Amino acid sequence: MSATVHHLGRDSAPSLEPIMSLVASDMNQVNSVILDRMQSEIPLIPELAGHLIAGGGKRMRPMLTLAAAKLIGYAGTRHFKLAAAVEFIHTATLLHDDVVDGSDLRRGKAAANLIFGNPATVLVGDFLFSRAFELMVEDGSLKVLKILSNASAVIAEGEVNQLTAQRKIDTSEDRYLDIIGAKTAALFAAASRISAVVAECDEEVELALDSYGRNLGIAFQLVDDAIDYSSDRETMGKDAGDDFREGKVTLPVILAYARGSEEDRKFWKDAIIGHKSSDEDLGRATGLLRSTGAIDDTMSRARHYGQRAIDALGIFPSGKAREAMTEAVEFAISRAY
Amino acid sequence: MSATVHHLGRDSAPSLEPIMSLVASDMNQVNSVILDRMQSEIPLIPELAGHLIAGGGKRMRPMLTLAAAKLIGYAGTRHFKLAAAVEFIHTATLLHDDVVDGSDLRRGKAAANLIFGNPATVLVGDFLFSRAFELMVEDGSLKVLKILSNASAVIAEGEVNQLTAQRKIDTSEDRYLDIIGAKTAALFAAASRISAVVAECDEEVELALDSYGRNLGIAFQLVDDAIDYSSDRETMGKDAGDDFREGKVTLPVILAYARGSEEDRKFWKDAIIGHKSSDEDLGRATGLLRSTGAIDDTMSRARHYGQRAIDALGIFPSGKAREAMTEAVEFAISRAY
C-alpha cells in the first residue's frame, strides 16, 4: 500500500518528519498562543481543554497553515494566531464529537466527556469556538473571518448530515463524500488557505492551497475510515471497529455492501442498524471488507485524492516546503491499516 | 411587587407592548433574515432550529437591538442582520443548555433534545453559532464582531462557572452575580450596544446602551430565578422547581440559606446535593424562601438593577423609544411570581 513511495524516489517510508521540521519553530509560537488563550478564570476550562490540547494530537491543521506560509514565503507573524484559532475550532468539534458519539477513547486517552461529563464538554467546546473567533477578530482580516466562519458552518452541517446518515446502509458514495468533504476537508482547506490571505497572494494561490488542503483532508479521512476496521488501541488511539459498532456507514462499508451477495447485504443491513455488533460480527465484517476489495479500493480512492492534493502544489516552486507538503500527503495515504 | 409602576404614573401594569409595537415592522425584517439563514440542505437543521425559533420566544435580544436603533435614530438596515445573529447565538446557547440541563420543557414545548436527541441538538447549536458569525462577517464591522465574539466566550465561561457551582450550597452572592452577568447579561448588553456601533455613535452612547442591556439582563434573570420557585408550566413554559431539582444555587436559595436556622441549613444542604427533591421538599423550600424574605429580596435586588438600566437611558432624549425601553424594564421586574 505504499505504491506512491517509489514514485518519489525516496528510500524510506514517507513520514511527517519533514513537514514537522519545516514548521517546528513556528509551531512553538502557535503553541504559546494556544496555551495562553485557552486560559480562563474558571479553572475547569483550561483543565478540560488541556486534557485534549496538551494530550497529543499532531496539530495537523495548524501545521498546514504554517507550512503554507513557508511555501509562499510569508515572513510575518499573523498566521500564528490564526493557526491557533484553527486548532481551537478543531478542538471544539472534537469535544462536541465525543459527546455526539459517546466516545470512550480519543487520542489513546479517555475521552473528555467520560472524565468531565457531557455538560462541561459541550460548554468548553463552545468556549474554545468563541475564543477562536476572538483570535480572528484580533487579527482583523474579514476575509479570514469569512473563510473560517463558513468552514465552521459547513463542518456543523457535515456533522448533522453524518448523523442523519448513521445506521443507513443505503448511503451513497456521493453523499459520503459530501459528508467528509464538510466535516473533515473544509477545515483542512481553510487552514491551508488562510496563510495566502494574510500574505495577500493572488486568488490562484489561495485556490491552490485550498485544493491541497481539501484533497488531503478527504484522503486523510478515507484512510482513517479504512484503518478503523484494522488497527488497534495502541496504534490508533481508539478501538478498532468503533465505526462499525456505531453504525457509521463509511466508504469501506458502502463498497462492500454494493459488491456483496444477498446474504452479505443482509448481514450489513443488520449490522449497521445495530443488530450485529459482537467481536465475531466485526470479524465477519472485516473479512467481507477484505474479500470484496472494499478496503483496498478505499485506499485507492484515498490515493486519488492524495495525488490531486500533490498536483495542486504544481504552481509553486520546488523546494523544501513543497517537498515536505508532498511527503505529508504520501504519509497520509500510506499509513498502516 | 409592582412598586415601580406608580413611580411612572402609569395606570395599567407595565407591559412589553410598547417596545413590541416600536420595533414590530423592523422585527419582520429580522424574522425574514432568521428564517432565511437557518435553512440548510440538511433538512434536520431547519427542522430542529425551527422547533425552537418558530416556537415562540419573545425575541428579547433582537428587540433590544432594534429598540436601541430607534432610540439613537439609526435609519439604516444593517442591524437587521446583526439582530438575527444575536438571536442565533441565543438559540445556540439554549439548545446547548437543554443538553447540559437535560431539560424536559422549553418555552412550554418539549425541549429539542427530547425530540431530536442530544447529538443533533449539540450540532445544530454549533451550526447556528457559526451562521451567526457568517452574518456578522457579511455586515463587516470588526467592532461588532469583537463585541459579539467576546460576549459568546463570556457566555460559555458563565455557563461553565454555573456548572461548577451546581449543587454547591456555599456559592456566594458575588459568584452568583458573576455567573448571571456572564450567562445572561453579556448578550443583553451586546445586543443593545451593537446598534450604536453601526450608527457610529460616540463611545458614551455605546456604553450607556451596554449598561442598559446588562442591568436589564441581570434584573431579568433574578426575576426568572424567583419565578422558578412559584410559577407553573402554563405561565412559565417549564415546571416550577426545576432549578431546585437540578441543585442550582440561585439567589433565592443563597439568601434563604444565609438567613436560615441550623436545621434549615441542613435541609438546604441536603436538597442542593440532591437528597431532597420530592414535591414535599419543594414545598418546604418554597416556604423557607418566603418566610426568610428570600424571594422578596431577590425581587428587590432585581428592582435595583432594573432602576440602573432605566437610569442608563438618562442621556437620551425622552420620547417613544426611551419610554418603551423603560417600560420593558418595568415589565421585567414586575412579572408575576
Side-chain angles (χ1 to χ4, degrees):
Chain A
M1 287 309 102
S2 50
T4 41
V5 172
H6 302 294
H7 181 70
L8 291 175
R10 202 181 306 107
D11 285 334
S12 54
S15 102
L16 280 181
E17 202 283 317
I19 199 170
M20 287 170 71
S21 302
L22 179 75
V23 305
S25 110
D26 289 350
M27 191 62 88
N28 288 334
Q29 304 290 320
V30 176
N31 282 331
S32 326
V33 179
I34 288 175
L35 286 174
D36 182 43
R37 304 307 290 274
M38 66 184 231
Q39 297 310 314
S40 159
E41 284 175 21
I42 316 302
L44 180 56
I45 291 178
E47 201 185 328
L48 195 157
H51 173 76
L52 192 56
I53 288 175
K58 292 177 294 298
R59 304 254 199 282
M60 274 300 289
R61 294 151 192 82
M63 199 186 287
L64 294 177
T65 306
L66 298 177
K70 293 278 184 198
L71 183 72
I72 59 184
Y74 173 66
T77 58
R78 285 172 58 190
H79 59 321
F80 298 149
K81 232 178 221 179
L82 296 176
V86 166
E87 187 67 3
F88 278 170
I89 292 174
H90 175 57
T91 308
T93 64
L94 290 187
L95 291 173
H96 288 183
D97 272 359
D98 283 342
V99 171
V100 164
D101 294 342
S103 313
D104 293 331
L105 283 174
R106 165 77 68 188
R107 293 176 180 167
K109 295 167 63 176
N113 54 314
L114 273 194
I115 301 177
F116 302 96
N118 282 345
T121 306
V122 169
L123 296 173
V124 173
D126 289 350
F127 172 78
L128 290 176
F129 198 61
S130 305
R131 204 25 81 80
F133 278 93
E134 288 193 292
L135 283 164
M136 290 181 244
V137 170
E138 282 172 31
D139 173 69
S141 163
L142 279 166
K143 199 164 172 187
V144 168
L145 273 157
K146 184 174 178 181
I147 290 168
L148 283 170
S149 61
N150 179 256
S152 302
V154 166
I155 291 168
E157 276 184 309
E159 299 264 9
V160 178
N161 197 2
Q162 175 172 263
L163 195 67
T164 321
Q166 204 165 13
R167 304 207 176 278
K168 287 204 178 127
I169 190 63
D170 59 348
T171 306
S172 68
E173 178 166 354
D174 281 343
R175 180 169 183 192
Y176 174 74
L177 285 171
D178 280 349
I179 290 171
I180 67 173
K183 75 163 194 152
T184 307
L187 194 55
F188 273 67
S192 307
R193 180 176 195 158
I194 54 180
S195 282
V197 175
V198 294
E200 297 179 27
C201 297
D202 290 345
E203 176 95 5
E204 185 198 8
V205 170
E206 265 187 53
L207 293 179
L209 285 167
D210 184 290
S211 172
Y212 169 80
R214 194 173 303 276
N215 283 295
L216 171 58
I218 294 173
F220 195 86
Q221 185 63 55
L222 288 173
V223 177
D224 263 9
D225 292 343
I227 290 178
D228 193 82
Y229 279 95
S230 53
S231 196
D232 54 31
R233 194 179 277 224
E234 281 65 41
T235 58
M236 195 168 49
K238 57 173 192 157
D239 292 321
D242 274 359
D243 289 351
F244 181 73
R245 274 182 283 264
E246 287 164 18
K248 280 192 184 159
V249 181
T250 56
L251 187 57
V253 174
I254 293 169
L255 296 179
Y257 179 73
R259 297 166 182 186
S261 66
E262 277 305 303
E263 196 193 328
D264 295 344
R265 289 193 176 202
K266 182 159 180 346
F267 166 78
W268 283 115
K269 272 184 198 159
D270 288 350
I272 290 300
I273 58 176
H275 295 159
K276 305 234 174 239
S277 57
S278 68
D279 285 353
E280 199 189 326
D281 294 322
L282 177 59
R284 177 166 175 192
T286 310
L288 289 174
L289 291 170
R290 292 194 180 269
S291 66
T292 57
I295 293 273
D296 283 348
D297 287 354
T298 295
M299 293 301 289
S300 152
R301 302 280 210 279
R303 283 192 293 275
H304 160 86
Y305 291 102
Q307 194 58 52
R308 284 173 61 175
I310 290 169
D311 287 330
L313 298 180
I315 65 165
F316 298 102
S318 53
K320 234 168 70 171
R322 185 172 148 186
E323 274 166 34
M325 290 172 78
T326 300
E327 191 169 340
V329 180
E330 302 286 347
F331 169 79
I333 58 182
S334 70
R335 286 177 293 159
Y337 67 87
Chain B
M1 288 308 103
S2 49
T4 40
V5 172
H6 303 294
H7 181 69
L8 293 176
R10 201 182 305 108
D11 285 335
S12 54
S15 101
L16 280 182
E17 201 283 316
I19 198 169
M20 286 169 73
S21 302
L22 179 75
V23 305
S25 111
D26 290 350
M27 191 62 88
N28 289 334
Q29 304 291 321
V30 176
N31 283 332
S32 316
V33 179
I34 288 174
L35 287 174
D36 182 42
R37 302 308 290 273
M38 67 185 229
Q39 297 310 314
S40 159
E41 284 175 21
I42 316 301
L44 179 57
I45 291 179
E47 200 185 330
L48 195 157
H51 173 76
L52 193 56
I53 288 175
K58 293 177 294 297
R59 305 252 199 281
M60 274 298 290
R61 294 152 194 81
M63 199 186 286
L64 294 176
T65 306
L66 298 177
K70 292 277 184 200
L71 183 71
I72 59 184
Y74 172 66
T77 57
R78 285 174 56 191
H79 59 322
F80 297 150
K81 231 176 221 181
L82 297 175
V86 166
E87 187 68 3
F88 279 170
I89 292 173
H90 175 57
T91 308
T93 65
L94 290 187
L95 290 173
H96 288 182
D97 272 0
D98 283 343
V99 171
V100 165
D101 294 343
S103 313
D104 293 331
L105 283 173
R106 166 76 69 189
R107 293 175 181 167
K109 295 167 64 174
N113 53 315
L114 273 194
I115 301 176
F116 301 97
N118 282 344
T121 306
V122 169
L123 297 173
V124 173
D126 289 349
F127 172 78
L128 290 175
F129 198 60
S130 304
R131 204 26 79 84
F133 277 93
E134 287 193 292
L135 283 164
M136 290 180 245
V137 170
E138 282 172 29
D139 174 69
S141 163
L142 278 166
K143 198 165 172 187
V144 168
L145 273 157
K146 184 175 178 177
I147 290 168
L148 283 169
S149 60
N150 181 255
S152 300
V154 166
I155 292 168
E157 274 184 310
E159 300 264 9
V160 178
N161 197 2
Q162 175 172 264
L163 195 67
T164 321
Q166 204 164 13
R167 304 206 177 278
K168 288 207 178 124
I169 190 62
D170 59 349
T171 306
S172 69
E173 178 166 353
D174 281 342
R175 180 172 183 188
Y176 173 74
L177 285 172
D178 280 349
I179 291 171
I180 67 173
K183 74 162 196 152
T184 306
L187 194 56
F188 273 67
S192 307
R193 180 176 196 160
I194 54 179
S195 283
V197 175
V198 295
E200 297 179 27
C201 296
D202 290 345
E203 176 97 6
E204 185 198 9
V205 170
E206 265 186 56
L207 293 178
L209 285 167
D210 184 290
S211 173
Y212 169 80
R214 194 173 303 275
N215 283 295
L216 171 58
I218 294 173
F220 194 87
Q221 184 64 55
L222 288 172
V223 178
D224 262 9
D225 291 342
I227 290 178
D228 192 83
Y229 280 93
S230 54
S231 196
D232 55 31
R233 195 178 276 228
E234 281 66 40
T235 58
M236 194 167 49
K238 56 175 193 157
D239 292 323
D242 273 358
D243 289 350
F244 180 73
R245 274 182 283 263
E246 288 164 17
K248 279 192 184 161
V249 182
T250 57
L251 188 58
V253 174
I254 292 169
L255 296 178
Y257 179 74
R259 296 166 183 186
S261 66
E262 278 303 302
E263 196 193 329
D264 295 344
R265 289 192 176 203
K266 182 161 180 344
F267 166 78
W268 283 117
K269 272 184 200 162
D270 288 348
I272 290 300
I273 58 173
H275 296 158
K276 304 232 175 243
S277 57
S278 68
D279 285 354
E280 200 189 326
D281 294 321
L282 177 60
R284 177 165 175 195
T286 311
L288 289 175
L289 292 170
R290 293 194 180 270
S291 66
T292 56
I295 293 274
D296 283 348
D297 288 353
T298 296
M299 293 302 289
S300 151
R301 302 281 210 281
R303 283 192 293 276
H304 159 86
Y305 291 101
Q307 194 56 54
R308 283 173 61 176
I310 291 168
D311 287 329
L313 298 179
I315 65 166
F316 299 102
S318 52
K320 233 168 71 172
R322 184 172 150 185
E323 275 167 33
M325 289 173 79
T326 300
E327 191 169 338
V329 179
E330 302 286 346
F331 168 78
I333 58 183
S334 69
R335 285 177 294 159
Y337 67 87

